[in-house]
Structures are given as structure tokens and as C-alpha cells.
Amino acid sequence: MPDRPTIIVTGCSSGIGAYCARALKADGWRVFATVRRAEDQLELEGEGIETFIMDYTQPDTIAALVEAVMAQTDGRIDALFNNGAYGQAGAVEDLPSEALRLQFETNVIGWHDLTRRVIPAMRARGCGRIVQCSSILGIVPYRWRGAYNASKFALEALSLTLRMELAGSGVEVSLIEPGPIASKFTANAVAYVERFIDLKNSVHRAEYERQLRRLRGESKPARGKLGPDAVYHALKHALTARRPRPHYIVTTPAKQGALLKKVLPATLFYRIIGRLG
């Protein structure tokens, strides 16, 4: 069906990306999903979702993805949902530069690369939607998440600038800023903590033990956690509304955090936020 709208959705191995890819297909979109592992590709393709191997840290896979999608759609890409990411936990003083560099390669540079590659096709048709799955941590920083906070703050700035620069082109840019969402995101973060953080010799050793219990799901779940359907509700509006919003804040804790940042004096706000986690 050549008249179906087309969308690239990244990070579809699980969680938000997997849910949104399936929901978009059910809603009539032609979905081009990306994963990093062959086993995840086979699962999605078994459900009729066109799936590609892509890694944000490998530019050749990004180029190959866009080239393949363009070939299969006669140059038509209606929308892009950048979603694939991970969260590097750890105190800022414990973060080696390599960890920060990889966090930005995955969460910012790779997204920028893919986004730039689809814009010419959207400009040529005079329409398109670019939706970035950011985080409330791109608005409100959180202790022990400095690398991830920084990557999302950078994504916010880059995306909002792009939105202004694309004004009048027919291409719209929106940011979704979820709070706690049920997914494998926190569990996946454990591997990066163990890879990059010297847990034994850190002055924050006791805190890391507590954080790792939380990341492994051994402590009580985050307050106000919602399912990935909450993100899809925002994504659907960003893709189909006549005037998509620049920001979609998802979950009650995220909305509360954004509101407090607006109304409280900065010193008081950061004192309160600094007690969380």
C-alpha cells in the first residue's frame, strides 16, 4: 500500500520502541524499525514489521538504513521517531571521559546523524515529522545521572534549534519527555555502571550499592511509573496533529518536576531535587 505514511522508529528491541512500532503498524503506518541484535530483528519481522540492524555509534549502519528505506519508499520518509538510547549512571566525579563520550555518541551524535539524513527527503515533499524521545532529565537534572542528563539537555537544545530553523518548511520537530516508564531501560543501565565505574574505590560506594539494587529492580518501583502506551499517546499526537507541540511531558512525576522548576527559586528547587534518587 504505497499510500501508507512511512516512519523510521529506532530502538525497537524492547520497551517504548517495540511498543510504538507495533502500535504504529496497527494504526496503518508503514514502519521501518531498527534494532541492534539479529534475534530482535527476526522477532519483529515475524510480526510483519520491516526491521533493520542499526547502531547509533556506527555511522555506516545509519547510512545503510536511510539508503534502504529511501529505495523501498521511492524517497518518501514521512516521519522519524528517534528513541534508541541508554542511560549511563554514576557520579560525575567517577565518570571516565570514555563513558561520557560513548553516552553522547549514542544519545546525541547518532541521533543527529540520522536526523540530518532524513531531512532532505522531507524538505523535498514539503512535510515531515521528527519526534525525539528525550526525557524529563533533559529538563530537570537528577543525581547520579550526570552523563545521561547532559546528553538529554544537549538533545533538547539541538532539537529546539532545529525546530526553529525548519519553520516554514513543513517539517515539524517535537520532543517527548517521559518520566518513569516500564521498560528494560534501568536494567540495561547496570552493565554500563559495571563497565565504567570503579565501584569499589569510589567515595559513593554505599550509594552505588543502593542504586544498583534499584536498577536491578530489587527495590520498590519508581513512583508514578506508566506503561509505554503513555508515550505512544504523545507520539501519535506529535505525528498527526495539525500543530504538534514542541514538548510532550509524560507521567505525573515528570510534570510535577517541570512545574516546580518553573515556580520555585532555583536554590530551593535544586535543594529539593538533590534529595531525590
Side-chain angles (χ1 to χ4, degrees), residues 209-263:
E209 291 174 356
R210 188 180 74 85
Q211 287 289 318
L212 285 171
R213 287 196 297 271
R214 179 178 179 182
L215 291 172
R216 291 178 179 132
E218 298 170 4
S219 57
K220 63 181 181 180
R223 177 177 56 89
K225 180 178 287 189
L226 298 178
D229 55 303
V231 175
Y232 184 64
H233 179 74
L235 174 62
K236 191 171 182 178
H237 188 278
L239 293 173
T240 61
R242 182 169 171 267
R243 294 180 179 176
R245 304 170 199 156
H247 299 278
Y248 293 84
I249 300 177
V250 179
T251 75
T252 297
K255 293 175 182 178
Q256 291 173 337
L259 178 61
L260 289 176
K261 186 177 182 180
K262 288 182 179 179
V263 301

Side-chain angles (χ1 to χ4, degrees), residues 86-103:
Y86 76 94
Q88 175 68 60
V92 172
E93 65 186 293
D94 290 337
L95 284 172
S97 297
E98 180 186 359
L100 191 61
R101 188 174 295 111
L102 182 59
Q103 182 79 110

Side-chain angles (χ1 to χ4, degrees), residues 80-130:
L80 166 65
F81 181 40
N82 272 312
N83 166 73
Y86 76 94
Q88 175 68 60
V92 172
E93 65 186 293
D94 290 337
L95 284 172
S97 297
E98 180 186 359
L100 191 61
R101 188 174 295 111
L102 182 59
Q103 182 79 110
F104 269 72
E105 285 286 347
T106 304
N107 291 13
V108 183
I109 306 301
W111 289 37
H112 176 63
D113 188 355
L114 177 54
T115 301
R116 286 188 66 241
R117 291 177 186 275
V118 303
I119 288 175
M122 294 179 177
R123 277 192 177 275
R125 297 185 67 245
C127 60
R129 300 291 168 98
I130 297 167

Side-chain angles (χ1 to χ4, degrees), residues 11 14 19 75 79 90 143 172 186 190 195 210 228 247 252 260 263 270 274:
S14 63
Y19 184 93
R143 287 193 307 165
E172 299 282 355
T186 53
V190 173
R195 175 179 173 183
R210 188 180 74 85
H247 299 278
T252 297
L260 289 176
V263 301
Y270 290 115

Side-chain angles (χ1 to χ4, degrees), residues 167-189:
S169 70
V171 183
E172 299 282 355
V173 180
S174 296
L175 289 147
I176 299 177
E177 290 119 349
I181 297 291
S183 72
K184 295 180 180 179
F185 188 83
T186 53
N188 291 339

Side-chain angles (χ1 to χ4, degrees), residues 24-233:
L24 285 163
K25 182 178 183 294
D27 280 347
W29 287 76
R30 184 177 181 184
V31 179
F32 296 94
T34 79
V35 296
R36 293 193 301 155
R37 301 179 301 182
E39 54 265 38
D40 297 322
Q41 181 181 23
L42 293 173
E43 181 179 348
L44 288 169
E45 286 184 339
E47 300 177 31
I49 297 174
E50 297 167 81
T51 312
F52 298 83
I53 300 292
M54 190 210 76
D55 187 327
Y56 278 124
T57 67
Q58 299 178 19
D60 57 327
T61 67
I62 299 173
L65 165 70
V66 176
E67 183 178 351
V69 171
M70 293 281 283
Q72 294 183 38
T73 62
D74 293 325
R76 174 179 175 178
I77 300 177
D78 294 295
L80 166 65
F81 181 40
N82 272 312
N83 166 73
Y86 76 94
Q88 175 68 60
V92 172
E93 65 186 293
D94 290 337
L95 284 172
S97 297
E98 180 186 359
L100 191 61
R101 188 174 295 111
L102 182 59
Q103 182 79 110
F104 269 72
E105 285 286 347
T106 304
N107 291 13
V108 183
I109 306 301
W111 289 37
H112 176 63
D113 188 355
L114 177 54
T115 301
R116 286 188 66 241
R117 291 177 186 275
V118 303
I119 288 175
M122 294 179 177
R123 277 192 177 275
R125 297 185 67 245
C127 60
R129 300 291 168 98
I130 297 167
V131 185
Q132 314 279 49
C133 194
S134 181
S135 169
I136 187 57
L137 300 190
I139 299 174
V140 177
Y142 203 67
R143 287 193 307 165
W144 323 116
R145 299 292 186 275
Y148 185 69
N149 294 341
S151 73
K152 291 303 183 179
F153 267 74
L155 177 68
E156 293 273 329
L158 204 62
S159 300
L160 292 171
T161 303
L162 179 63
R163 178 184 172 93
M164 292 185 287
E165 293 168 352
L166 288 172
S169 70
V171 183
E172 299 282 355
V173 180
S174 296
L175 289 147
I176 299 177
E177 290 119 349
I181 297 291
S183 72
K184 295 180 180 179
F185 188 83
T186 53
N188 291 339
V190 173
Y192 289 96
V193 174
E194 295 174 339
R195 175 179 173 183
F196 287 115
I197 304 299
D198 184 358
L199 300 173
K200 183 186 298 186
N201 295 310
S202 172
V203 296
H204 303 292
R205 180 176 177 176
E207 178 60 32
Y208 283 133
E209 291 174 356
R210 188 180 74 85
Q211 287 289 318
L212 285 171
R213 287 196 297 271
R214 179 178 179 182
L215 291 172
R216 291 178 179 132
E218 298 170 4
S219 57
K220 63 181 181 180
R223 177 177 56 89
K225 180 178 287 189
L226 298 178
D229 55 303
V231 175
Y232 184 64
H233 179 74

